[in-house]
């Protein structure tokens, strides 16, 4: 299957290729635990994600589509975001503030001025991978645009301590996979950057360089976890349920009462 911008997100493409978001469905990140059964259910289309069209999510997609250069298509797909005169509804106006904040910064604009939405594929760790780069500067660097609640937000987990938003949402994994797939295609190992803009009342911006040691660490995890995902996708092993996600709640079958002491589980 030859990937294009039209079929990149199709079920067929997701079955043939592994992507970072699919990997995260299976394995999870600190912020969102993985669930193998849910990930497979999405692939067989027996579970359709309930994409809450939350305002914050729509604002993020609007900003993404602006930098992709696909704002017209986005407007056509989401007419409800706009008033009759074609301007954004008041609750989404922040998206324009965010875009303007990014574009009035020279460094941010330079990093976002690469080739947009570049698709690459590679065989890696026994799977066929697909990636789509937000802003690719051949021979120089790989840039991914992220909208977030707050760039400096700290996430706490009892086992791992305090994490930044990159660790929380698995962006080191993304950087590691993107860097490796580009290297397999071009022979060049390029630095990975996150161009971040926050959805705060006063949008905050940063271009964040990801340390190579963190990418190496993330890639080692990917190498370790990929064979299991391939076996799951091939139906060779049974998926595990997380018993926490919406899919697991929806499909839970009660067999017997549980003890009250089981409610919190092991903390
Ligand atoms: Zn689950």
């Amino acid at each position: 299957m030859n990937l294009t911008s039209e079929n990149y997100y199709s079920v067929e493409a997701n079955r043939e290729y592994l992507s970072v978001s699919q990997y995260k469905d299976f394995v999870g990140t600190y912020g969102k635990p993985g669930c193998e059964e849910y990930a497979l259910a999405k692939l067989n289309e027996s579970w359709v994600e309930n994409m809450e069209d939350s305002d914050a999510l729509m604002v993020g997609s609007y900003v993404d589509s602006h930098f992709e250069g696909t704002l017209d298509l986005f407007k056509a797909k989401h007419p409800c975001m706009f008033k009759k005169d074609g301007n954004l509804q008041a609750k989404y106006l922040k998206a324009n503030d965010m875009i303007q904040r990014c574009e009035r910064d020279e460094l941010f604009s330079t990093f976002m001025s690469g080739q947009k939405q570049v698709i690459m594929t590679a065989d890696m760790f026994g799977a066929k991978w697909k990636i789509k780069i937000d802003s690719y500067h051949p021979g120089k660097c790989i840039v991914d645009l992220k909208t977030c609640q707050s760039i400096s937000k700290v996430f706490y987990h009892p086992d791992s301590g305090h994490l930044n938003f990159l660790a929380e949402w698995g962006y080191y994994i993304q950087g590691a996979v993107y860097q490796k797939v580009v290297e397999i295609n071009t022979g060049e190992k390029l630095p990975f950057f996150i161009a971040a803009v926050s959805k705060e009342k006063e949008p905050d911006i940063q271009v964040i360089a990801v340390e190579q040691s963190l990418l190496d660490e993330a890639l080692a995890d990917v190498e370790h976890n990929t064979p299991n995902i391939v076996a799951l996708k091939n139906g060779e092993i049974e998926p595990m349920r997380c018993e926490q996600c919406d899919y697991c709640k929806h499909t839970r079958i009660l067999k017997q009462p549980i003890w009250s002491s089981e409610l919190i589980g092991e903390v």
Side-chain angles (χ1 to χ4, degrees):
M1 179 176 191
N2 198 18
L3 292 182
T4 64
S5 56
E6 280 73 37
N7 67 19
Y8 184 86
Y9 294 110
S10 68
V11 180
E12 292 72 31
N14 285 335
R15 283 182 190 150
E16 183 168 337
Y17 294 91
L18 189 52
S19 65
V20 169
S21 63
Q22 208 183 116
Y23 174 92
K24 292 198 280 190
D25 283 347
F26 279 100
V27 178
T29 66
Y30 289 102
K32 189 171 184 274
C35 179
E36 295 176 352
E37 200 171 299
Y38 151 79
L40 286 178
K42 263 173 86 176
L43 285 176
N44 344 321
E45 293 180 291
S46 59
W47 177 251
V48 179
E49 194 104 69
N50 182 13
M51 284 302 276
E52 303 157 45
D53 271 2
S54 78
D55 294 349
L57 230 130
M58 296 305 287
V59 163
S61 318
Y62 180 92
V63 174
D64 286 343
S65 69
H66 167 84
F67 283 102
E68 284 172 23
T70 55
L71 203 48
D72 288 339
L73 188 68
F74 183 85
K75 285 181 176 177
K77 274 189 187 166
H78 306 279
C80 56
M81 279 182 81
F82 300 87
K83 297 189 290 192
K84 281 194 184 128
D85 64 6
N87 288 317
L88 273 175
Q89 286 193 37
K91 61 178 172 182
Y92 301 122
L93 276 177
K94 201 196 310 172
N96 281 334
D97 295 345
M98 290 163 71
I99 291 166
Q100 281 158 17
R101 183 66 194 89
C102 297
E103 294 196 326
R104 104 179 135 79
D105 189 89
E106 208 176 311
L107 187 82
F108 197 105
S109 302
T110 304
F111 274 82
M112 284 309 296
S113 68
Q115 295 174 17
K116 300 297 175 70
Q117 305 302 311
V118 176
I119 294 170
M120 288 188 194
T121 61
D123 287 322
M124 190 165 82
F125 312 137
K128 285 167 78 176
W129 287 81
K130 57 171 179 157
I131 66 167
K132 201 178 194 188
I133 306 171
D134 285 342
S135 176
Y136 175 47
H137 300 259
K140 289 190 186 136
C141 66
I142 303 158
V143 185
D144 200 73
L145 175 72
K146 294 291 182 206
T147 54
C148 61
Q149 284 175 286
S150 153
I151 292 171
S152 52
K153 184 169 176 181
V154 176
F155 300 83
Y156 179 73
H157 299 276
D159 294 341
S160 9
H162 297 91
L163 302 178
N164 62 35
F165 81 100
L166 280 76
E168 179 76 2
W169 302 119
Y171 299 156
Y172 294 139
I173 299 168
Q174 183 181 1
V177 169
Y178 279 31
Q179 183 184 60
K180 194 68 193 176
V181 170
V182 169
E183 188 185 351
I184 291 170
N185 278 272
T186 67
E188 290 179 305
K189 187 169 187 159
L190 302 181
F192 179 75
F193 295 89
I194 296 279
V197 52
S198 80
K199 295 168 187 164
E200 291 158 305
K201 196 163 65 186
E202 185 60 52
D204 195 8
I205 53 170
Q206 281 296 354
V207 174
I208 305 159
V210 179
E211 293 81 353
Q212 189 57 44
S213 59
L214 297 173
L215 295 176
D216 293 344
E217 209 175 289
L219 194 68
D221 287 342
V222 172
E223 178 170 19
H224 177 256
N225 291 322
T226 299
N228 189 54
I229 298 175
V230 172
L232 285 162
K233 285 180 80 170
N234 291 339
E236 291 157 17
I237 52 175
E238 286 299 308
M240 299 214 289
R241 293 165 59 85
C242 75
E243 300 297 358
Q244 288 173 35
C245 70
D246 286 348
Y247 167 83
C248 285
K249 287 175 189 166
H250 187 80
T251 54
R252 174 171 296 147
I253 297 166
L254 303 185
K255 299 195 180 75
Q256 59 192 25
I258 63 165
W259 292 106
S260 76
S261 55
E262 293 174 59
L263 283 173
I264 294 186
E266 292 167 41
V267 181

